[in-house]
Amino acid sequence: MSEQGFSPPTSEWYHPSEEVVKNANVPDYEAVYNEAVSDPEIFWAKRAETLDWYQKWDKVLDDSNKPFYKWFTGGKTNIVLNALDRHIKTWRKNKIAFIWEGENGDKVSMSYWRLWQEVNKFSNVLRSMGVKKGDRVTIYMGRVPEIVIAMLACAKIGAPHSVVYGGFSEQALADRIEDAQSRVLITCDGAWLRGKIVKLKDTVDEAVHRSPVVDTVIVVKRTGHEINMEQGRDYWYHDLMSLPIASVRSETEVMDAEDPLFILYTSGTTGKPKGVLHTHGGYQVYTSTTLSWAFDIKDDDRWWCAADPGWITGHSYIVYAPLILGATSIIYEGAPTYPYPDRWWRIVENYGVTILYTAPTAIRGLMRFGDAWPNRHDLSSLRLLGSVGEPINPEAWRWYHKVIGNEECPIIDTWWQTETGGFMITPLPSVGLKPGSATRPFPGIEVDIVDEKGDPVAAGEDGDLVIKGPWPSMIRTVYGDDERFLRQYWEKYKDKGYYLAGDTARRDEDGYLWVIGRNDDVLKVSGYRLGTAEVESGLVSHGTIAESAVIGIPDDLKGNVIYAYCIPVAGVEGSDALVDELKDHIRHEVGPIAVPAKIEFVDKLPKTRSGKIMRRVLKAQAMGQPLGDLSTLED
Ligand code: WT7
């Protein structure tokens, strides 16, 4: 399982200043960690008490039907009660919830009061469209203020949202609409990206054509270009929001703690993406605690999570947790390099951003342009930096630390997943750092690195990263597929009751954790998660390909790029023209992220005798490495 040549800098320490430690929300990690481990239920109950509930829970953790754990059962709440309703009764109502900047320079800043009103109005619009508690609503939008409003409005009326990232193709969108069976879809005419319009509504039209379960489409006007509006199905957001029905008075639906908050699709090892289900109660407790402690949010901070609301990072740490904490966020619509590679640094300077949270692929992408771009700007407002999505290579870490953080900002490298809802392994600002290590588990979380039998491996050895106990924001199930939930996460270490993360990791002599990467058929390309199966079935669906195998090859910028090996159907010859056609096909069937860097035509694929493709062999071959144990190879 060992990754070739992975030798982390385990003795390169960076210690926080006394100042940072003293002022941190949690100055003593060790003490809080031990307290949490000694009695997790009391610990989480205390955290839950920092939030508002319509009715207090009877039981913190119900583990009577493992691994279908339930948290805060009997409790009545709604995440919007904590994210908005409670703030407008305090001085925070006039605080800025977020400052939004469009790629084209448009600006919006919205107070908690105004956001509360917009959400109330839109929740009434949704109700008038017949959306009821429990109905799934699909959201396919750019990074605009209205996506935040739409998500919160759904939550407010108890309708689980299913946000589909705006970079996904028509087929990916259609599949997710179909799986969630959502009648109502919220979108934009287009999105600005790199100075060009991404035609979201065109993609929606095609997706709805393929999945006709949608009968109502609400369209936010962002780019203003000409689009098709279908009578009786499509409505402009601004038209609806100016109707008398869009009253600023709206009751927040009283939800059970375990009622679904959202479904978010993510790639798995086989077949179609799975709908990860999260609920109101545990999720609000866990996301707000992790953000407050790992990123040390204070009232005068300007928090910028530069992800997209369409991913779990955006759900948890652009939308829900910052609002629960009453923080002020920055949201930027477009590309980091538009019109110049200093766009982000300009934003940090202009708005006095104090905490920046982004992905290694973005850091590497900006690092490429050299130090002059960040050096031109005053970045002295920054006090903490964050990383997420894939292991951060030490070179990128050091650059981020030195050039962006002026060697003064701790780097909070957070390991987690769509399924975990919030940070699982992460330093708190008071913890000593090593570049490339996510350090230690968050208080209340017990992890281990184990061998195939589930026994802990020695320090320095690679193994499966597992989570040993339940936590409040854990995935509740795969939407509509309990079997898959059990198989994917719980089957392998069933006897021990461990949650299988799907990553290989290592623990060093100091107990620091190093996540090496996925060990299943999931790829990380520019931090985006993709299943090899999705790309492979996309290739086969073109009709010219009988069978294909897809692997990830390490890449300096993207982390991994995709290589695809394809066997053409009888009578079809591989050619450059076919390569172009297949790439274009993948762009439409799966999305631009999934387009292979290389497509090679072959007449055979390495398989085991039981017919499983040995991707490991393809990878070793592509990288010019020894092929390893071939005893199970069929031919
Ligand atoms: C996978 C989960 C969690 C939000 C974004 C990704 C990889 C994530 C780190 C990190 C090393 C990381 C893992 C994980 N990953 N963060 N700090 N260090 N690897 O969520 O798309 O569900 O992907 O991302 O491989 O399993 P996701």
Side-chain angles (χ1 to χ4, degrees):
M1 212 170 359
S2 180
E3 193 83 1
Q4 292 264 342
F6 181 74
S7 52
T10 52
S11 49
E12 185 178 336
W13 283 98
Y14 293 77
H15 290 287
S17 67
E18 263 173 52
E19 182 81 2
V20 166
V21 176
K22 190 178 73 199
N23 295 326
N25 287 349
V26 176
D28 187 350
Y29 163 80
E30 227 53 72
V32 177
Y33 189 86
N34 292 335
E35 180 204 324
V37 167
S38 72
D39 197 331
E41 287 188 42
I42 291 185
F43 174 77
W44 289 119
K46 271 212 250 170
R47 297 311 307 159
E49 277 158 16
T50 66
L51 301 181
D52 282 5
W53 299 77
Y54 296 114
Q55 183 183 303
K56 203 177 157 172
W57 54 92
D58 307 317
K59 219 170 166 10
V60 176
L61 173 64
D62 173 356
D63 60 0
S64 58
N65 185 22
K66 293 176 189 169
F68 296 94
Y69 294 94
K70 290 183 177 154
W71 286 85
F72 307 109
T73 49
K76 303 261 184 216
T77 189
N78 186 310
I79 200 164
V80 172
L81 168 68
N82 285 297
L84 294 175
D85 301 353
R86 66 171 179 163
H87 298 316
I88 56 108
K89 295 184 196 136
T90 72
W91 65 271
R92 277 209 183 83
K93 70 176 181 202
N94 293 324
K95 189 176 168 178
I96 296 175
F98 62 80
I99 301 168
W100 174 84
E101 186 172 295
E103 198 190 67
N104 64 352
D106 289 352
K107 290 184 179 69
V108 169
S109 71
M110 202 170 288
S111 65
Y112 274 88
W113 176 253
R114 173 78 197 291
L115 179 59
W116 176 75
Q117 288 188 327
E118 296 295 312
V119 168
N120 286 354
K121 289 178 64 155
F122 194 56
S123 69
N124 284 324
V125 167
L126 289 174
R127 283 186 178 116
S128 77
M129 295 291 189
V131 180
K132 296 181 308 298
K133 181 171 172 171
D135 293 349
R136 282 80 52 212
V137 174
T138 298
I139 297 178
Y140 180 74
M141 300 170 77
R143 224 173 293 155
V144 288
E146 290 84 355
I147 189 170
V148 180
I149 295 167
M151 289 166 71
L152 292 164
C154 288
K156 184 172 181 104
I157 64 173
H161 52 70
S162 161
V163 181
V164 179
Y165 172 60
F168 276 122
S169 68
E170 47 268 35
Q171 190 56 45
L173 177 57
D175 289 343
R176 286 158 177 76
I177 291 170
E178 189 70 31
D179 190 81
Q181 288 290 303
S182 54
R183 256 191 58 230
V184 174
L185 190 152
I186 308 162
T187 189
C188 299
D189 53 352
W192 286 113
L193 190 67
R194 287 180 211 98
K196 298 203 184 75
I197 291 174
V198 180
K199 295 184 171 167
L200 296 174
K201 180 58 166 57
D202 288 2
T203 305
V204 164
D205 288 343
E206 183 53 39
V208 173
H209 177 72
R210 297 183 191 187
S211 283
V213 38
V214 169
D215 63 29
T216 302
V217 178
I218 301 175
V219 188
V220 171
K221 189 176 258 179
R222 169 64 187 130
T223 47
H225 68 290
E226 185 101 27
I227 56 163
N228 160 54
M229 290 291 278
E230 201 167 298
Q231 265 254 293
R233 186 195 73 183
D234 301 349
Y235 302 86
W236 285 108
Y237 176 90
H238 59 265
D239 286 342
L240 299 170
M241 289 289 269
S242 60
L243 296 175
I245 189 76
S247 149
V248 293
R249 270 175 243 282
S250 170
E251 288 295 320
T252 302
E253 195 76 35
V254 176
M255 307 296 283
D256 287 334
E258 282 293 327
D259 276 337
L261 170 61
F262 63 82
I263 302 166
L264 184 56
Y265 288 87
T266 191
S267 298
T269 48
T270 51
K272 295 235 158 107
K274 25 181 207 222
V276 172
L277 186 78
H278 285 287
T279 59
H280 279 258
Y283 179 83
Q284 64 180 359
V285 173
Y286 196 80
T287 55
S288 59
T289 301
T290 47
L291 183 63
S292 167
W293 291 3
F295 282 102
D296 201 43
I297 303 288
K298 308 279 204 298
D299 253 321
D300 58 357
D301 271 314
R302 292 223 158 156
W303 159 251
W304 184 14
C305 168
D308 192 278
W311 305 112
I312 190 70
T313 313
H315 279 56
S316 300
Y317 300 112
I318 294 176
V319 180
Y320 290 111
L323 293 174
I324 294 171
L325 297 179
T328 298
S329 293
I330 308 297
I331 304 176
Y332 166 59
E333 175 184 41
T337 50
Y338 188 84
Y340 300 109
D342 65 342
R343 182 63 182 267
W344 274 18
W345 316 129
R346 196 176 285 279
I347 292 174
V348 169
E349 175 175 279
N350 284 349
Y351 300 109
V353 172
T354 55
I355 313 172
L356 171 65
Y357 182 40
T358 184
T361 186
I363 298 163
R364 290 191 296 260
L366 291 166
M367 190 170 120
R368 258 192 329 167
F369 294 101
D371 301 0
W373 292 102
N375 286 347
R376 194 169 297 170
H377 295 278
D378 177 6
L379 306 180
S380 62
S381 57
L382 288 169
R383 67 180 187 92
L384 287 172
L385 298 171
S387 176
V388 63
E390 58 182 317
I392 181 165
N393 48 312
E395 300 73 35
W397 194 101
R398 292 183 199 111
W399 183 83
Y400 197 30
H401 188 253
K402 179 155 181 268
V403 179
I404 306 307
N406 193 31
E407 298 184 336
E408 285 165 357
C409 306
I411 294 182
I412 310 299
D413 177 0
T414 59
W415 177 89
W416 58 299
Q417 310 179 298
T418 306
E419 293 86 344
T420 70
F423 314 146
M424 301 300 282
I425 304 176
T426 178
L428 309 186
S430 55
V431 166
L433 305 172
K434 303 184 187 190
S437 169
T439 75
R440 316 278 292 273
F442 193 80
I445 303 300
E446 278 191 90
V447 306
D448 212 340
I449 298 167
V450 299
D451 62 19
E452 295 296 300
K453 290 196 297 272
D455 296 324
V457 299
E461 300 271 312
D462 294 358
D464 267 339
L465 178 61
V466 295
I467 301 163
K468 289 168 78 175
W471 65 101
S473 66
M474 64 197 299
I475 174 177
R476 294 307 194 265
T477 189
V478 170
Y479 183 69
D481 199 345
D482 288 349
E483 270 308 307
R484 196 166 171 196
F485 169 72
L486 295 172
R487 212 179 330 119
Q488 182 90 42
Y489 305 104
W490 304 97
E491 195 172 271
K492 187 161 179 191
Y493 298 113
K494 199 164 176 236
D495 299 342
K496 309 247 178 191
Y498 294 168
Y499 167 90
L500 176 73
D503 282 0
T504 295
R506 193 183 290 179
R507 187 183 258 133
D508 70 18
E509 301 292 340
D510 298 310
Y512 272 47
L513 297 158
W514 300 79
V515 175
I516 298 168
R518 299 289 310 190
N519 57 28
D520 50 11
D521 296 328
V522 171
L523 303 176
K524 278 279 174 159
V525 179
S526 299
Y528 297 115
R529 179 164 158 182
L530 273 173
T532 50
E534 284 164 83
V535 186
E536 288 160 1
S537 63
L539 287 163
V540 170
S541 75
H542 185 249
T544 56
I545 301 303
E547 194 177 9
S548 88
V550 156
I551 54 170
I553 296 291
D555 178 81
D556 282 348
L557 190 63
K558 297 183 171 175
N560 291 286
V561 292
I562 296 172
Y563 279 21
Y565 297 87
C566 298
I567 305 177
V569 295
V572 169
E573 285 287 323
S575 66
D576 289 350
L578 184 54
V579 168
D580 292 343
E581 232 183 86
L582 288 168
K583 286 187 177 176
D584 199 50
H585 180 71
I586 291 295
R587 196 168 291 122
H588 287 280
E589 289 307 296
V590 192
I593 320 155
V595 175
K598 185 170 147 185
I599 296 180
E600 203 177 300
F601 299 104
V602 293
D603 19 286
K604 249 200 264 187
L605 292 167
K607 285 187 184 169
T608 61
R609 276 177 220 109
S610 59
K612 202 169 181 301
I613 294 174
M614 296 178 80
R615 293 193 183 76
R616 167 179 76 73
V617 174
L618 287 170
K619 187 167 171 177
Q621 194 175 32
M623 294 175 66
Q625 288 170 350
L627 298 185
D629 179 10
L630 294 179
S631 58
T632 56
L633 191 67
E634 164 204 47
D635 186 359

